[in-house]
């Protein structure tokens, strides 16, 4: 524990807060620039003030739940990697599962694990986290502005294919993310476990609310349906645990 | 209303600033590691860093490419820059983008959709930053204040969130949703029971599941909605 204390003092030093703060500032700067440009462009493409307001409110409402989950997992990362690094990594590039894994790989490469970090293993974990996430940044830097071409390729130039690609990609990706909830520890299928019920109810409630909000054109429900579905599903899972 | 504004003024500005901020991000994210290594003097051997990196790339490597491509049709170009710089892609940015577009009633993949998606993601980045900054500074005290039941309940938020995003799209395309669910669950079953271990990469090769789920569903969509791709406008209403 003695060495542990020592590296955590370093990990939580003011200098580390400054270093992490500069990196986080880039994320903030980008979102402010993009937000302002989009607000300016909105009327030019025929969006009404009301549509923009709906987008802002629905996203703000929907962000709160996931942020709290990230917050709770950040606290668990904070114990091993210190506050500045955890804060930077989860506001910037990273995601919850990735960070602990990457730091663990780095520690492993120095012959230890996250529970028994030495200063040098901590450093190696940090390098691994950072280098391991560059792939997303570099791919985005190089190809984001050319991705319309991928879409064009998938749709074979047929305009009507575009919404089908969107739906297919989203349904495929989120079915994949959700699928893990339908398996037991022994890797057989289940639909009675708490996570699977949370998932099924989240999905079912969202389907009903989306349909109702759309057909009856209920404005407030359009903004709240995602948050309601998410928290009700969570609650069902909690009750069924 | 100005037909050229999006392509002539908005997008060039976004791409310029997108590239600048990505480059800044790629450079400045090294700062904490540089401080530890050169100010405090704890520079790990290059071989150890490389070993750690290789373990990580064998898990994440495929996702560097598959994730941006899979989410691009929803996020749009500006949203892709925002999402992959700020992270927390599937649990926050993509849901916020699609929820914002649904609430504002715009079509995915259009100019309007791309602008609304950007607004939604930017808002989620700011909300997330505020909450996490309070959390990082307040640290354990904040989590300590949460009732135990709440912490336990939060374990089920992500399953419900993934279900809800799926549900948002499933309601307008139920057939495709059923196919996507069968592919994803089938592939996950194969993965978990070791049937995919022959594939290259770190075992188990989870990248294969997302690849097949995403591109299989796009392909299935092409087959299921063949009619929609051919028939004229007025008969399109059923599917949307």
């Amino acid at each position: 524990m003695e060495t542990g204390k020592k590296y955590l003092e370093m990990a939580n030093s003011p200098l580390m807060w400054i270093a992490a703060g500069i990196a986080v500032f880039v994320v903030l700067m980008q979102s402010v620039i993009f937000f302002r440009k989009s607000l300016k462009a909105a009327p030019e493409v025929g969006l009404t003030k009301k549509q923009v307001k709906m987008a802002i409110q629905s996203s703000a409402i929907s962000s709160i739940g996931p942020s709290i989950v990230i917050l709770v997992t950040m606290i668990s990362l904070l114990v091993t990697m210190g506050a500045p690094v955890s804060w930077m990594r989860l506001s910037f590039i990273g995601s919850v599962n990735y960070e602990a894994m990457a730091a663990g790989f780095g520690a492993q490469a120095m012959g230890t694990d996250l529970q028994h970090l030495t200063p040098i293993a901590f450093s190696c974990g940090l390098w691994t986290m950072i280098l391991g996430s560059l792939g997303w940044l570099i791919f985005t830097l190089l190809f984001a502005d050319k991705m319309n071409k991928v879409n064009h390729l998938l749709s074979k130039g047929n305009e009507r294919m575009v919404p089908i690609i969107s739906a297919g990609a989203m349904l495929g990706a989120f079915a994949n993310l959700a699928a893990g909830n339908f398996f037991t520890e022994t890797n057989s299928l289940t639909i009675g476990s708490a996570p699977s019920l949370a998932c099924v109810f989240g999905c079912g409630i969202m389907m009903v609310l989306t349909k109702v909000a759309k057909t009856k054109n209920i404005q407030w429900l359009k903004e709240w349906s995602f948050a309601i579905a998410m928290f009700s599903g969570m609650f069902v899972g909690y009750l069924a645990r | 209303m100005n037909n050229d504004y999006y392509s002539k003024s908005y997008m060039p500005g976004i791409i310029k600033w997108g590239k600048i901020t990505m480059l800044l991000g790629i450079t400045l994210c090294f700062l904490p590691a540089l401080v530890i290594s050169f100010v405090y003097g704890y520079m790990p051997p290059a071989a150890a860093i490389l070993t750690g990196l290789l373990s990580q790339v064998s898990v994440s490597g495929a996702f560097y490419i598959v994730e941006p491509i899979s989410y691009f049709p929803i996020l749009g170009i500006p949203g892709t820059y925002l999402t992959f710089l700020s992270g927390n892609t599937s649990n926050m940015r993509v849901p916020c983008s699609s929820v914002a577009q649904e609430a504002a009633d715009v079509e995915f993949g259009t100019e309007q959709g791309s602008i609304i998606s950007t607004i939604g993601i930017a808002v989620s980045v700011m909300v997330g930053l505020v909450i996490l900054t309070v959390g990082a500074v307040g640290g354990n005290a904040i989590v300590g204040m949460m009732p135990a039941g709440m912490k336990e309940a939060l374990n089920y938020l992500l399953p419900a969130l993934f279900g809800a995003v799926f549900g948002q799209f499933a309601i307008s395309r139920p057939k495709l949703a059923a196919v996507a669910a069968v592919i994803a669950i089938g592939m996950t079953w194969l993965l978990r029971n070791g049937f995919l271990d022959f594939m290259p990469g770190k075992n188990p090769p989870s990248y294969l599941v997302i690849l097949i789920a995403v591109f299989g569903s796009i392909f299935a969509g092409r087959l299921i909605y063949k009619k929609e791709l051919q028939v004229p406008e007025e008969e399109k209403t059923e599917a949307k």
Side-chain angles (χ1 to χ4, degrees):
Chain A
M1 231 19 233
E2 282 308 301
T3 49
K5 268 210 184 103
K6 193 176 153 222
Y7 92 81
L8 272 180
E9 252 168 48
M10 177 174 80
N12 287 315
S13 65
L15 197 58
M16 284 297 277
W17 276 110
I18 294 170
I22 293 172
V24 172
F25 181 74
V26 179
V27 182
L28 183 65
M29 180 178 95
Q30 189 198 45
S31 61
V32 171
I33 293 173
F34 277 35
F35 185 66
R36 293 182 51 179
K37 281 188 182 297
S38 302
L39 285 188
K40 208 174 142 212
E44 306 283 350
V45 298
L47 288 163
T48 62
K49 281 209 169 106
K50 199 174 136 215
Q51 282 177 300
V52 171
K53 202 176 137 211
M54 293 282 287
I56 294 174
Q57 288 178 351
S58 61
S59 174
I61 294 165
S62 308
S63 297
I64 294 171
S67 296
I68 295 175
V69 174
I70 299 168
L71 172 73
V72 171
T73 39
M74 180 180 79
I75 303 296
S76 63
L77 188 66
L78 200 136
V79 183
T80 52
M81 295 304 285
V85 168
S86 311
W87 172 62
M88 171 186 119
R89 296 299 308 182
L90 290 179
S91 326
F92 175 32
I93 311 173
S95 61
V96 170
N97 299 330
Y98 170 86
E99 301 306 336
M101 180 177 26
F105 282 140
Q108 213 175 37
M110 289 303 298
T112 179
D113 57 44
L114 284 183
Q115 279 69 50
H116 305 89
L117 282 179
T118 59
I120 199 114
F122 166 73
S123 177
C124 194
L126 188 52
W127 279 100
T128 305
M129 276 176 159
I130 294 169
L131 288 169
S133 64
L134 284 186
W136 281 286
L137 297 187
I138 293 170
F139 186 86
T140 306
L141 171 69
L142 296 179
F143 298 111
D145 54 331
K146 300 173 187 74
M147 294 237 262
N148 274 330
K149 288 187 186 130
V150 177
N151 249 7
H152 197 75
L153 202 75
L154 285 172
S155 67
K156 295 185 178 158
N158 186 345
E159 283 276 309
R160 286 195 194 146
M161 187 66 201
V162 175
I164 296 173
I165 293 178
S166 310
M170 284 297 278
L171 287 168
F174 280 85
N176 162 58
L177 289 166
N181 296 311
F182 295 88
F183 289 86
T184 61
E185 277 165 20
T186 54
N187 296 326
S188 53
L189 265 174
T190 169
I191 41 165
S193 69
S196 66
L197 286 172
C199 186
V200 167
F201 275 84
C203 175
I205 295 167
M206 185 65 183
M207 288 174 82
V208 173
L209 295 182
T210 307
K211 184 87 186 167
V212 172
K214 204 170 222 168
T215 47
K216 305 228 160 124
N217 203 17
I218 309 170
Q219 295 300 323
W220 70 267
L221 192 56
K222 286 185 183 172
E223 289 172 14
W224 283 90
S225 49
F226 183 73
I228 296 173
M230 195 167 60
F231 282 109
S232 327
M234 175 187 91
F235 197 63
V236 171
Y238 176 66
L239 291 181
R241 79 198 187 281
Chain B
M1 207 147 144
N2 177 345
N3 284 334
D4 279 348
Y5 187 84
Y6 182 86
S7 56
K8 296 267 164 65
S9 178
Y10 178 71
M11 277 317 286
I14 288 287
I15 290 171
K16 184 184 109 192
W17 278 102
K19 288 189 170 162
I20 293 174
T21 46
M22 293 312 281
L23 274 173
L24 278 175
I26 289 171
T27 327
L28 297 176
C29 70
F30 282 100
L31 280 178
L34 295 175
V35 166
I36 295 293
S37 301
F38 298 110
V39 177
Y40 292 104
Y42 293 104
M43 179 72 195
I49 297 180
L50 200 66
T51 308
L53 177 62
L54 283 179
S55 308
Q56 187 57 50
V57 169
S58 68
V59 176
S60 304
F63 291 89
Y64 301 155
I65 298 161
V66 179
E67 280 191 342
I69 292 179
S70 308
Y71 296 134
F72 177 76
I74 299 299
L75 299 173
I77 292 174
T80 299
Y81 284 118
L82 283 176
T83 297
F84 291 96
L85 188 69
S86 62
N88 286 299
T89 310
S90 54
N91 54 343
M92 194 151 163
R93 310 300 169 218
V94 179
C96 283
S97 165
S98 68
V99 163
Q101 292 180 76
E102 184 83 40
D105 209 3
V106 292
E107 289 270 349
F108 298 107
T110 59
E111 295 180 356
Q112 291 193 346
S114 149
I115 287 175
I116 291 291
S117 157
T118 311
I119 292 174
I121 298 169
V123 167
S124 93
V125 171
M126 296 179 216
V127 171
L129 258 181
V130 170
I131 294 181
L132 286 187
T133 304
V134 171
V137 176
N140 292 316
I142 298 203
V143 173
M145 276 176 351
M146 284 184 190
M150 180 177 165
K151 270 185 276 182
E152 205 181 329
L154 283 171
N155 289 331
Y156 304 102
L157 191 103
L158 280 187
L161 177 149
F162 294 144
V165 177
F166 185 84
Q168 189 196 327
F169 288 82
I171 190 72
S172 46
R173 299 193 183 271
K175 275 188 231 161
L176 184 53
V179 174
V182 169
I183 297 177
I185 292 201
M187 286 299 295
T188 305
W189 188 83
L190 289 175
L191 176 81
R192 295 215 168 193
N193 289 287
F195 291 110
L196 302 177
D197 288 353
F198 64 92
M199 291 296 293
K202 193 123 190 151
N203 284 339
S206 57
Y207 65 89
L208 204 63
V209 179
I210 183 173
L211 264 179
I212 293 185
V214 168
F215 291 100
S217 303
I218 292 176
F219 182 72
R222 193 197 287 274
L223 295 180
I224 296 172
Y225 303 105
K226 218 171 207 163
K227 268 198 204 135
E228 186 184 329
L229 293 172
Q230 290 157 357
V231 292
E233 286 298 312
E234 61 269 21
E235 293 188 22
K236 260 181 74 182
T237 43
E238 187 256 344
K240 179 67 214 177

